[in-house]
């Protein structure tokens, strides 16, 4: 079974405008409102690929109810902990006609100690030998090593942990040997405080993350494709298909879902990487 965890889910309001003019009235030409958050995005894409998952996390207020309704409408099982204070986030994505994207992400509700404990108890019921996707940021009210705490708590269940996070949040989980991590190029450079140029250097630094504990490292390179440093010591590169980017929101989450889906079926790192960029 595949579980996805989204600690700070959102309703994503995306609006198309011709050009953003600061300090002036801007009118939209197209709008959409969807449930979002990295783990939720993974669940949506897995469903599209014909694979069921269960979405876990926190939800609050009327926005939280809308997020759950959107998942249920898509046939995705979910079991969120209801937060008593605040509302789940509303994030704004402004898409200009020249391809410029501007994002405004809210902070989300404050999580109380008893709500955190309620989530941990739900995680305790995860089936043995499942996959748990830990994706996205941790709300300010939770410990910065919360993903590592979850992995330590569940370490005896032989769970494949997939972590899509950045900075210290990612660094704290490496020693617990996650099955897969997925930094993008910017996040990889941030982790090592250096500029990384070319596929060979990407592989070099991905291997450094493996030396720190991650079993497999998938690095997304945007329009330039992706690199995988796998647990058998191999390194693979896959080029992205030609085309024009219309909206990149959730593209990394879709890549991760495709990789998970392919590997679950084929057990092949090279095939999973190829599927992830299609």
């Amino acid at each position: 079974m595949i579980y996805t965890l989204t600690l700070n889910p959102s309703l994503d309001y995306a609006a198309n405008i011709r050009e953003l003019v600061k300090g002036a009235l801007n009118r939209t030409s197209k709008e959409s409102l969807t449930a979002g958050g990295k783990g939720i995005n993974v669940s949506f894409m897995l469903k599209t690929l014909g694979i069921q998952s269960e979405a876990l996390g926190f939800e609050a207020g009327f926005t939280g109810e809308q997020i759950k309704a959107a998942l249920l409408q898509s046939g995705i099982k979910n079991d969120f902990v209801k937060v008593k204070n605040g509302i789940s986030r509303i994030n704004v994505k402004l898409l200009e006609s020249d391809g410029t994207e501007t994002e405004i992400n809210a902070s989300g509700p404050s999580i109380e100690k008893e709500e955190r404990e309620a989530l941990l108890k739900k995680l305790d019921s995860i089936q043995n030998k499942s996959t748990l996707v830990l994706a996205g940021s941790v709300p300010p009210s939770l410990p910065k090593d919360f993903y590592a705490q979850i992995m330590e708590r569940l370490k005896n269940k032989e769970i494949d942990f997939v972590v899509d996070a950045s900075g210290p949040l990612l660094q704290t989980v490496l020693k617990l040997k996650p099955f897969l991590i997925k930094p993008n190029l910017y996040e990889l450079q941030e982790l090592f405080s250096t500029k990384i140029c070319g596929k060979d250097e990407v592989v070099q630094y991905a291997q450094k993350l493996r030396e720190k504990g991650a079993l497999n490292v998938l690095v997304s390179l945007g329009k330039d494709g992706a690199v995988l440093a796998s647990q058998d010591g191999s390194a693979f590169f896959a080029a992205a298909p030609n085309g024009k980017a219309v909206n990149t929101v959730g593209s990394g989450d879709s890549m991760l879902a495709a990789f998970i889906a392919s590997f679950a079926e084929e057990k092949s790192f090279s095939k999973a990487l190829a599927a992830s960029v299609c």
Side-chain angles (χ1 to χ4, degrees), residues 1-276:
M1 181 64 178
I2 298 173
Y3 300 85
T4 64
L5 179 65
T6 309
L7 297 174
N8 212 1
S10 64
L11 285 180
D12 290 342
Y13 173 74
N16 291 75
I17 58 176
R18 187 178 66 82
E19 180 183 6
L20 177 62
V21 181
K22 295 172 64 175
L25 174 64
N26 293 268
R27 296 190 183 278
T28 67
S29 59
K30 183 181 177 182
E31 304 164 9
S32 66
L33 186 65
T34 57
K38 296 184 75 64
I40 286 175
N41 291 340
V42 170
S43 279
F44 276 130
M45 180 52 67
L46 287 172
K47 181 65 176 180
T48 299
L49 296 170
I51 295 179
Q52 187 59 267
S53 66
E54 182 172 346
L56 306 171
F58 297 108
E59 59 91 3
F62 76 98
T63 46
E65 291 296 326
Q66 183 60 40
I67 290 168
K68 291 196 302 180
L71 286 164
L72 288 173
Q73 187 175 17
S74 297
I76 298 171
K77 184 179 179 182
N78 61 84
D79 190 13
F80 288 88
V81 172
K82 188 170 184 62
V83 175
K84 62 184 178 182
N85 296 319
I87 64 171
S88 294
R89 300 184 297 166
I90 299 176
N91 293 339
V92 178
K93 323 282 185 181
L94 300 177
L95 312 173
E96 299 179 57
S97 57
D98 66 354
T100 301
E101 299 179 6
T102 302
E103 299 187 26
I104 304 172
N105 286 355
S107 298
S110 178
I111 311 300
E112 301 293 337
K113 181 179 179 180
E114 60 269 23
E115 294 160 349
R116 179 178 66 192
E117 291 301 317
L119 176 66
L120 291 174
K121 287 181 180 179
K122 286 183 183 293
L123 292 171
D124 286 341
S125 66
I126 286 179
Q127 301 171 19
N128 287 334
K129 298 185 178 180
S130 294
T131 296
L132 175 58
V133 181
L134 307 171
S137 61
V138 171
S141 53
L142 292 179
K144 296 300 182 185
D145 65 343
F146 194 57
Y147 283 167
Q149 291 183 25
I150 291 171
M151 292 173 64
E152 181 68 30
R153 185 182 180 105
L154 301 179
K155 64 182 180 182
N156 294 326
K157 287 198 169 188
E158 300 180 42
I159 291 173
D160 283 338
F161 292 101
V162 176
V163 183
D164 187 0
S166 60
L169 184 59
L170 177 59
Q171 290 175 328
T172 59
V173 306
L174 294 176
K175 63 184 179 181
L176 295 166
K177 301 185 183 302
F179 171 74
L180 178 70
I181 62 173
K182 194 208 73 63
N184 59 32
L185 178 59
Y186 173 81
E187 292 164 344
L188 188 65
Q189 293 177 142
E190 185 180 52
L191 283 170
F192 291 98
S193 301
T194 189
K195 179 73 172 177
I196 299 174
C197 300
K199 295 190 291 293
D200 290 342
E201 285 195 10
V202 172
V203 171
Q204 175 187 343
Y205 283 96
Q207 295 288 14
K208 288 180 182 293
L209 291 177
R210 288 197 60 250
E211 292 169 6
K212 291 177 179 289
L215 299 183
N216 301 284
V217 182
L218 174 63
V219 184
S220 54
L221 306 175
K223 63 181 178 60
D224 295 321
V227 162
L228 175 70
S230 68
Q231 63 192 66
D232 64 2
S234 302
F236 306 94
F237 169 75
N242 293 326
K244 179 182 178 181
V246 176
N247 184 351
T248 63
V249 175
S251 58
D253 308 323
S254 297
M255 165 187 262
L256 184 58
F259 185 97
I260 293 169
S262 176
F263 189 80
E265 181 178 353
E266 302 279 355
K267 301 300 181 186
S268 166
F269 289 115
S270 60
K271 289 181 179 179
L273 177 63
S276 73

